[in-house]
Amino acid sequence: GPQFWDRDAAIGQILDALGHTEYDGQTWKAEDTIASAFAAMTNDWQAILAQPPAEALAAAVTAAPADAVDALLAEMVTLDQLESAPPPRFLVHRFLQFDSESWIIGLPGSKKSFIVFDIAARVVRGEAWQGFKTNPADVVFIVAEGVSGHGKRVKAWQQRNGRVERDGRQAVFTLPRPVQVTDIGAWAVLVKACGRLADRAREAGRGLLVVIDTQSRVTAGLAENDNGKDGLNTYVQAVSAIRQATRACVLSIHHTGKDGRASRGGSVVD
């Protein structure tokens, strides 16, 4: 079972571990840090040796509370309930649906952002896109690649097709800068802001489209070729957080690799 140390033994273990890092020979810094941490604690503490994963899971299964098990069983649905569930509601018939995590992926310069703005403008106006039916939606644009290029697209589209927003109601909300998924606090603010806009759209009988332009500009610091927690899986989870808070279609714009056949970076997006 878990072993417990007293304060001095715990500090000894920490200093021994630090001796194998770049802090070797600077243990006085570590001692000061540890001392200030202990001084800030208001409750009793215990240092616990980590259990191997299999042992930790077995212990957690034994300790799982019965009411939590009952609550999980209550969430399970019957086949009849599944069969009678409403079908997914489309944003653009055959291509995009609400409550989804979606991607448009193509070579640099293949007009991905313009295509997405065209989709956004049509759903705002409640018009078909390329002959495919749409459901009306408000739109959030996270313009991470620079607002000047985006502004030119908006100007060109409206010169050709007329105003996107009609009847004096704002339906397109543009954030002219990136929000990094590695900044959890900033991303949490974005999730809540999108949630408020989803509520606003819902009150008007509309859905929500959230566009992230582009994936690479909001994933600074992530290992693009890694699928793990320090790689693109972090981005997928961040996108999922927006979807869960809004039930929107969250549409990421992303580049293909050099061969033009698959998305750039880890395979988790594919």
Side-chain angles (χ1 to χ4, degrees):
Q3 297 180 27
F4 299 86
W5 297 312
D6 61 26
R7 181 180 182 278
D8 292 337
I11 292 175
Q13 291 282 348
I14 294 171
L15 295 180
D16 179 65
L18 288 171
H20 301 286
T21 73
E22 63 185 18
Y23 288 98
D24 189 17
Q26 302 182 54
T27 55
W28 60 273
K29 292 184 179 180
E31 288 174 343
D32 287 347
T33 301
I34 294 168
S36 64
F38 277 110
M41 290 179 182
T42 57
N43 301 314
D44 293 337
W45 69 280
Q46 292 176 317
I48 305 174
L49 281 173
Q51 292 177 291
E55 294 180 15
L57 178 58
V61 170
T62 301
D67 56 348
V69 176
D70 292 339
L72 181 62
L73 289 171
E75 289 184 50
M76 297 183 182
V77 298
T78 66
L79 293 179
D80 288 341
Q81 288 173 312
L82 286 175
E83 191 174 5
S84 61
R89 183 166 171 259
F90 66 82
L91 176 67
V92 179
H93 188 241
R94 289 186 58 191
F95 288 101
L96 296 171
Q97 66 185 43
F98 293 112
D99 198 10
S100 73
E101 298 152 25
S102 303
W103 273 258
I104 178 169
I105 302 172
L107 287 167
S110 57
K111 311 302 181 188
K112 300 181 297 297
S113 295
F114 209 118
I115 291 168
V116 170
F117 183 78
D118 187 39
I119 293 172
R122 300 298 178 185
V123 301
V124 165
R125 299 195 341 179
E127 300 172 352
W129 178 77
Q130 298 294 316
F132 294 93
K133 293 179 180 180
T134 67
N135 274 311
D138 290 357
V139 179
V140 177
F141 264 102
I142 302 164
V143 184
E145 283 204 330
V147 73
S148 61
H150 187 71
K152 289 180 179 179
R153 296 184 199 105
V154 173
K155 182 178 180 180
W157 195 97
Q158 293 193 136
Q159 283 180 342
R160 177 68 177 269
N161 301 286
R163 295 286 299 172
V164 173
E165 297 172 332
R166 293 178 173 176
D167 303 324
R169 181 184 182 277
Q170 182 181 0
V172 181
F173 301 84
T174 303
L175 182 65
R177 63 173 178 84
V179 179
Q180 300 300 331
V181 298
T182 51
D183 187 339
I184 295 177
W187 196 266
V189 171
L190 175 64
V191 170
K192 282 203 166 184
C194 289
R196 288 190 189 179
L197 293 176
D199 292 340
R200 177 181 181 274
R202 197 174 295 114
E203 289 172 0
R206 300 164 66 87
L208 188 70
L209 167 64
V210 179
V211 178
I212 302 173
D213 187 7
T214 60
Q215 174 182 310
S216 62
R217 291 300 179 93
V218 300
T219 54
L222 292 184
E224 189 176 55
N225 294 317
D226 183 5
N227 287 326
K229 64 181 180 66
D230 297 320
L232 287 187
N233 191 54
T234 296
Y235 178 70
V236 172
Q237 295 302 317
V239 168
S240 180
I242 296 178
R243 178 188 60 78
Q244 292 176 26
T246 61
R247 299 305 174 191
C249 172
V250 186
L251 180 59
S252 298
I253 301 177
H254 189 39
H255 299 300
T256 55
K258 292 181 179 179
D259 62 2
R261 295 181 178 180
S263 63
R264 194 177 71 193
S267 62
V268 65
V269 170
D270 295 323

